[in-house]
Amino acid sequence: MSSFSALKSRLLPAITTVTSVGVGVWLGVQYERKTGPFLPSVFAKTSTQSDEVDTRMVPGRLVPVPPSPTTQASPGKAGHIMRYGFPGLTDLKSHEGYVVSYDRRNRNPHWVFEHLTSAHVRGDSDRQQCDFREDETIHPFFRATNQDFKGSGYDRGHLAAAANHRHSQTAMGDTFYLSNISPQVGEGFNRDAWNRLEMYVRGLTKQFSNVYVCTGPLYLPRREIDGKLYVKYEVIGLNQVAVPTHFFKVIACETNKGELILESYVMPNAKIDNSVPLKNFLVPVESVERASGLLLFDRIPRNAFKAINGRQP
């Protein structure tokens, strides 16, 4: 097995572990197999003596409620517990150049994951042919729109950078879905410090055969005058798109010999002086994991990395 295949086999399960989507989907499939499609039962009449349909009010309309189970449910059986549907499963979407887990509540990505090589970052793809657009695979209740950003004072900041995917016009175009976008301070951050970090990542593909990148927003607490810690962030637009306080980027690089290095960055979503070197934003990967609620590259033992943030683990 090649070193690339070995690393890939270790990383892909980690994505599933982080999102827990697989478990939810499996439960949903098992439920569907056992009970049949959900929607028909929702709109069936109840078997009450009055032969009336039980209803509940939701905004704008009355919705029929499914009848009670005719057989007693066994405690702990997922098919019975979740009989009326799952409130939500983490939105996991795969594109040509990246995988994204979408945060419905904040209308931001949870995280975006890319695999880059020198071939990915080269090509003739034209950014001018790409347009920011809504991700119509996301329910309208939870979808960010271009109108949300209009007049907000924030840039539509890529988490999977467009220039990372010059090899394919389709791959570059996919990075313009708003499910890959977060509100970012423009001057001094998105157009400057964050862009420098993105260029640095692309430069790593010249040194390493495989570069894996996980990027995401953070909402970090700040101590205020009363001595207490608060998590506060702005929201923009009618859809109340959250403005992250910080962003992280964790990078795993693999050499042709299978040697691995890890680098972990956190930057504030604020104007940053161009004289500040990128190394000033290196942080322990564990701090990113604690703040984000994610486990990053956890299928690779830390002592397997030749270096972490430039030092031996």
Side-chain angles (χ1 to χ4, degrees):
M1 181 182 293
S2 67
S3 58
F4 165 67
S5 299
L7 182 61
K8 185 176 180 181
S9 66
R10 288 179 288 181
L11 289 175
L12 291 180
I15 299 175
T16 304
T17 300
V18 168
T19 63
S20 300
V21 171
V23 174
V25 171
W26 181 85
L27 291 173
V29 169
Q30 300 305 312
Y31 169 65
E32 289 288 327
R33 287 177 176 173
K34 292 180 179 180
T35 64
F38 171 63
L39 286 177
S41 66
V42 171
F43 295 100
K45 284 189 175 182
T46 59
S47 56
T48 61
Q49 290 181 351
S50 64
D51 200 34
E52 294 180 353
V53 177
D54 185 16
T55 59
R56 299 288 188 271
M57 177 64 74
V58 298
R61 63 192 179 100
L62 290 172
V63 177
V65 175
S68 300
T70 56
T71 58
Q72 187 172 0
S74 301
K77 297 294 185 180
H80 290 291
I81 295 170
M82 306 309 299
R83 181 170 182 270
Y84 300 137
F86 290 80
L89 298 171
T90 300
D91 284 285
L92 187 67
K93 304 179 186 303
S94 179
H95 296 282
E96 182 177 331
Y98 66 94
V99 176
V100 57
S101 171
Y102 186 73
D103 179 357
R104 291 183 174 189
R105 188 173 76 89
N106 287 320
R107 282 76 170 170
N108 272 259
H110 274 302
W111 50 261
V112 173
F113 208 99
E114 302 169 90
H115 168 227
L116 303 177
T117 67
S118 58
H120 286 90
V121 301
R122 296 197 308 264
D124 299 323
S125 297
D126 185 1
R127 184 188 176 104
Q128 299 304 314
Q129 296 182 26
C130 303
D131 295 311
F132 289 101
R133 59 195 188 277
E134 296 179 29
D135 188 337
E136 295 184 353
T137 66
I138 295 170
H139 192 286
F141 286 1
F142 316 117
R143 191 188 304 167
T145 69
N146 283 311
Q147 191 64 31
D148 292 321
F149 287 83
K150 188 175 181 179
S152 69
Y154 292 96
D155 283 3
R156 291 166 291 190
H158 288 73
L159 297 198
N164 289 358
H165 303 281
R166 290 194 181 102
H167 68 288
S168 162
Q169 190 65 50
T170 298
M172 177 176 280
D174 285 348
T175 68
F176 284 79
Y177 280 117
L178 293 181
S179 53
N180 175 52
I181 300 298
S182 289
Q184 292 186 336
V185 169
E187 184 179 354
F189 186 70
N190 179 51
R191 307 169 206 171
D192 297 290
W194 187 249
N195 184 48
R196 281 194 288 133
L197 181 58
E198 291 174 333
M199 290 190 293
Y200 170 73
V201 170
R202 287 192 288 276
L204 291 173
T205 64
K206 298 177 182 179
Q207 306 174 45
F208 299 94
S209 55
N210 294 291
V211 177
Y212 294 87
V213 190
C214 188
T215 307
L218 294 172
Y219 307 89
L220 299 184
R222 184 171 66 178
R223 193 175 303 278
E224 299 205 350
I225 194 169
D226 62 1
K228 297 179 181 180
L229 291 170
Y230 295 87
V231 176
K232 292 184 179 181
Y233 52 89
E234 183 181 353
V235 295
I236 60 172
L238 291 177
N239 292 301
Q240 299 184 353
V241 180
V243 180
T245 64
H246 295 72
F247 290 92
F248 73 84
K249 195 177 287 290
V250 180
I251 311 151
C253 304
E254 181 188 28
T255 69
N256 287 326
K257 297 179 180 179
E259 295 175 335
L260 300 165
I261 71 162
L262 187 70
E263 294 184 357
S264 176
Y265 296 85
V266 169
M267 285 185 165
N269 189 12
K271 187 174 181 179
I272 298 171
D273 193 291
N274 272 329
S275 64
V276 180
L278 291 177
K279 66 180 181 180
N280 283 23
F281 301 101
L282 286 168
V283 299
V285 67
E286 291 80 10
S287 66
V288 176
E289 292 175 320
R290 288 177 181 274
S292 65
L294 306 173
L295 294 175
L296 303 170
F297 302 101
D298 66 313
R299 293 299 179 95
I300 306 175
R302 291 291 187 258
N303 59 12
F305 287 100
K306 185 177 180 181
I308 297 178
N309 290 345
R311 300 179 179 181
Q312 289 186 341

